[in-house]
Amino acid sequence: MESALAPLDCLLPAAALRACADGGANRLYHVTEGSQDSFLPDYISGDFDSIQPEVKEYYKVKGCELIETMDQDLTDFTKCLQILQKKIEKKGLQVDVIVTLGGLEGRFDHIMASVNTLFHATKIMPLPVIVIQECSLIYLLQPGKHKLHVDTGLEGDWCGLIPVGNPCESVTTTGLKWNLTNQMLKFGTLVSTSNTYDNSGIVTIETDKPLLWTMSIKI
Amino acid sequence: MESALAPLDCLLPAGNLKFCLLILNQPINKGHFHCLWSKAALRACADGGANRLYHVTEGSQDSFLPDYISGDFDSIQPEVKEYYKVKVDVIVTLGGLEGRFDHIMASVNTLFHATKIMPLPVIVIQECSLIYLLQPGKHKLHVDTGLEGDWCGLIPVGNPCESVTTTGLKWNLTNQMLKFGTLVSTSNTYDNSGIVTIETDKPLLWTMSIKI
């Protein structure tokens, strides 16, 4: 069965649940300067080694839930997803996708950790998880067929398919400028970067192994 | 508006101009050479210009190594090419680890292709991050320059690594598998020995921070 998603649909309102992973709360606090109380997260989780004390205090006083997670084998991002899944189940929320803001810039090991969390996410929750920062989006495609709607009008001009954790023996696509037909994607052999669309508004991807979709967002 | 230049400023020991030196395949005036060489920001040879450099610096060639030699290599003498080739230890690339995600991945992919292009290690640096692709086998990394930041990692980009063993890290591995979705070593750090050893059965990306 094919999965279908319009990756940039989420940039239109509105979120069912909002969370910060540790220092993500600092970012939220500063980007909402002057009206922080109109942008209160449902919870902040993590080992709290990055959140600034005054930020933590602010949100605590405002009634946001603070959930300390001490497991050092998992990143704050991964732990935040675990909590999110529990809350979605508990509240019986109708959710189509998890949108993560941040994680694709800065320390290279953190960027790779964000990608790794997408692999872990498939075991944590059934929902698609996308990560967005600045003009980049990433989304991990599981083996099988996928249909991506790329006609929100917010799509930028590049996209790509990255066999980040493993080679993909057979990938077939439609809707791209440079499509693949049962081709292998593998680091050192072929990685699809600086690809673009054929204006049909739909991209289909069939892959035999997990494959990372990446695309640009108009900013 | 008029442009202004003092053409011979570059030959003055106390001159102000910042210049790059390009050596062509012509006889070299020793006096000019030494003054220009000492003050140049970058020094390059075009093909047979490397022969000229090699000969004018006879006896102390290793104190006068060009930043690069380019050309179709039909003029450079084989022994001169060999001499300068073995004097280069590593290729350093600046940039490529920030911005568009597909470009970051393309930089990593180039490290895989680089092993087929050249025998030298290629490292990529941007801001506080460095990446370096380790081929299958044993590696020793000296991490005691004083410029090392506080994090490092081992990323099985492109393929799982069935068996990785390390020393010198805070969280070492012993014949462990590194694989996306299973275990990826990020936010690791050093044990203060100043040396990290890594043995891997498949290509494995080393990443580390630089103090800025």
Side-chain angles (χ1 to χ4, degrees):
Chain A
M1 196 195 85
E2 207 175 66
S3 85
L5 183 70
L8 297 184
D9 183 274
C10 63
L11 292 181
L12 313 163
L17 209 64
R18 303 169 178 96
C20 297
D22 206 343
N26 301 333
R27 306 289 180 168
L28 175 64
Y29 186 83
H30 293 297
V31 83
T32 56
E33 181 143 0
S35 44
Q36 283 95 337
D37 53 7
S38 301
F39 298 91
L40 299 174
D42 294 281
Y43 70 91
I44 302 167
S45 67
D47 53 16
F48 296 147
D49 62 353
S50 306
I51 190 171
Q52 287 153 4
E54 62 274 17
V55 170
K56 188 176 174 191
E57 195 53 34
Y58 177 85
Y59 288 120
K60 187 169 154 189
V61 161
K62 289 290 177 180
C64 303
E65 193 180 355
L66 297 176
I67 306 172
E68 195 166 358
T69 53
M70 294 312 293
D71 185 346
Q72 288 303 314
D73 285 340
L74 297 175
T75 62
D76 291 327
F77 177 15
T78 307
K79 290 180 281 187
C80 196
L81 283 180
Q82 289 173 327
I83 295 167
L84 197 60
Q85 175 61 19
K86 291 201 180 90
K87 287 192 180 285
I88 290 170
E89 283 168 6
K90 191 171 170 192
K91 296 183 186 219
L93 294 176
Q94 278 295 112
V95 178
D96 302 307
V97 63
I98 309 297
V99 181
T100 311
L101 209 51
L104 301 182
E105 291 193 1
R107 280 171 51 163
F108 186 81
D109 67 332
H110 279 175
I111 298 174
M112 293 295 98
S114 299
V115 174
N116 191 37
T117 294
L118 295 188
F119 280 78
H120 283 297
T122 60
K123 293 170 259 170
I124 295 171
M125 51 176 38
L127 296 167
V129 180
I130 66 178
V131 184
I132 289 176
Q133 182 158 9
E134 290 299 318
C135 74
S136 297
L137 173 152
I138 62 172
Y139 168 44
L140 183 64
L141 304 169
Q142 287 305 304
K145 290 183 185 179
H146 303 268
K147 182 189 258 185
L148 302 176
H149 296 272
V150 293
D151 53 357
T152 62
L154 296 168
E155 290 74 17
D157 53 18
W158 60 263
C159 59
L161 288 162
I162 319 290
V164 69
N166 44 256
C168 299
E169 309 276 329
S170 177
V171 179
T172 300
T173 69
T174 66
L176 299 175
K177 183 166 182 185
W178 291 283
N179 281 308
L180 303 165
T181 309
N182 291 323
Q183 264 158 289
M184 168 176 267
L185 287 180
K186 182 180 175 178
F187 271 83
T189 306
L190 179 65
V191 175
S192 176
T193 60
S194 293
N195 208 331
T196 191
Y197 309 101
D198 70 359
N199 292 325
S200 61
I202 294 179
V203 171
T204 70
I205 301 153
E206 184 167 4
T207 175
D208 64 323
K209 297 269 170 58
L211 179 59
L212 195 71
W213 164 257
T214 182
M215 64 190 288
S216 63
I217 307 162
K218 263 190 191 144
I219 47 171
Chain B
M1 199 195 84
E2 210 172 68
S3 82
L5 181 68
L8 298 181
D9 180 281
C10 57
L11 289 178
L12 294 172
N16 294 314
L17 282 183
K18 294 180 179 46
F19 61 90
C20 298
L21 178 63
L22 186 56
I23 300 175
L24 304 182
N25 193 5
Q26 292 294 318
I28 294 180
N29 174 297
K30 258 195 172 170
H32 289 160
F33 168 77
H34 282 287
C35 183
L36 291 170
W37 183 273
S38 66
K39 290 174 62 239
L42 207 69
R43 307 162 181 108
C45 299
D47 205 344
N51 302 333
R52 305 289 180 168
L53 174 64
Y54 186 84
H55 294 296
V56 83
T57 57
E58 184 143 354
S60 47
Q61 283 96 340
D62 55 4
S63 299
F64 297 91
L65 299 173
D67 295 286
Y68 70 91
I69 303 168
S70 65
D72 52 19
F73 296 144
D74 61 356
S75 307
I76 190 171
Q77 287 152 5
E79 62 275 19
V80 170
K81 186 177 174 189
E82 197 50 38
Y83 178 83
Y84 288 120
K85 189 164 140 185
V86 306
K87 286 296 176 181
V88 176
D89 301 308
V90 64
I91 308 295
V92 179
T93 313
L94 209 50
L97 302 181
E98 292 192 1
R100 280 171 52 162
F101 186 82
D102 68 331
H103 279 175
I104 299 175
M105 293 294 100
S107 299
V108 174
N109 192 36
T110 297
L111 294 188
F112 280 77
H113 283 296
T115 61
K116 292 172 255 170
I117 297 171
M118 52 173 41
L120 296 169
V122 180
I123 67 178
V124 184
I125 289 176
Q126 182 158 10
E127 290 299 319
C128 75
S129 297
L130 172 153
I131 63 172
Y132 168 43
L133 183 64
L134 305 170
Q135 288 305 303
K138 291 182 182 178
H139 303 268
K140 184 189 256 186
L141 304 175
H142 296 271
V143 293
D144 53 356
T145 62
L147 296 169
E148 290 73 19
D150 53 17
W151 59 263
C152 59
L154 288 162
I155 319 292
V157 174
N159 47 252
C161 299
E162 309 276 330
S163 176
V164 180
T165 301
T166 70
T167 66
L169 299 175
K170 184 166 181 184
W171 293 283
N172 280 308
L173 302 165
T174 309
N175 290 324
Q176 263 158 288
M177 168 177 267
L178 287 180
K179 182 180 176 177
F180 272 86
T182 306
L183 179 66
V184 175
S185 176
T186 61
S187 294
N188 209 331
T189 189
Y190 308 102
D191 71 359
N192 292 325
S193 62
I195 294 181
V196 172
T197 69
I198 301 151
E199 185 167 4
T200 175
D201 64 323
K202 296 271 170 57
L204 179 59
L205 195 70
W206 164 256
T207 182
M208 64 190 287
S209 62
I210 308 162
K211 263 190 192 145
I212 47 171

